Amino acid sequence: PGTGKTVTCASIVYHLCKQHQGQVLVCAPSNVAVDQLTERLSLTGLRVVRMAAKSREGVSTAVDHLTLHHQVRNLDTPEKGEMRKLQQLKDAAGELSTGDQKRYRSLLRSTEREFLQAADVITCTCVGAGDPRLANFRFRQIVIDESTQVSPSLSLTLSDSLSL
């Protein structure tokens, strides 16, 4: 601890982004490591989006403002107004009609995709790299911090999900 590994990793990612060869995916085996990297990367001025598992969306962290779900939730556009109305209807009624549910999911997927496409860097855990929301993304550059902490089976899963 304290030797500058995270700073070095953030510096490498910053320079990769400045080469304009596409987005960089940054992974680490733990949420704590991803959050630290996300925070450090945001300080460089890069557009960073932190993808969190749906099960972690309720967990408060220092990088909440950079998480995909937080950015989508706080977006202020006409589509967001429609999403908000559908969410309120779902909260009040317990569920949405099939048509409304389909529209809500479509708006949500579209908004998430826009945020992810606009990012210079997407950060997530190694397991999170297999998230279906990243299925159509192709990364030319992937940085795995603390890679020695990744189990061999997780390494295979990561390479399969990213088509390496």
Side-chain angles (χ1 to χ4, degrees), residues 60-141:
S60 182
T61 68
V63 294
D64 279 345
H65 63 288
L66 298 171
T67 59
L68 179 60
H69 65 273
H70 185 271
Q71 292 182 44
V72 168
R73 192 176 308 132
N74 293 309
L75 181 66
D76 192 21
T77 65
E79 292 84 14
K80 177 58 181 167
E82 185 179 357
M83 278 177 44
R84 187 176 295 121
K85 287 179 188 175
L86 289 170
Q87 182 63 51
Q88 289 171 348
L89 180 61
K90 181 178 179 180
D91 292 343
E95 62 182 57
L96 294 171
S97 68
T98 304
D100 285 344
Q101 182 67 26
K102 189 174 182 179
R103 178 66 179 151
Y104 177 76
R105 284 187 182 152
S106 174
L107 287 168
L108 181 62
R109 279 193 305 269
S110 173
T111 304
E112 288 176 336
R113 188 173 33 254
E114 287 175 26
F115 273 106
L116 291 171
Q117 288 173 338
D120 296 316
V121 180
I122 298 172
T123 63
C124 60
T125 61
C126 295
V127 170
D131 189 298
R133 294 173 288 185
L134 293 177
N136 294 322
F137 283 78
R138 297 292 174 247
F139 299 95
R140 294 183 67 198
Q141 300 152 109

Side-chain angles (χ1 to χ4, degrees), residues 139-155:
F139 299 95
R140 294 183 67 198
Q141 300 152 109
I142 300 171
V143 175
I144 303 176
D145 191 30
E146 298 184 11
S147 61
T148 58
Q149 303 298 317
V150 178
S151 69
S153 61
L154 186 56
S155 296

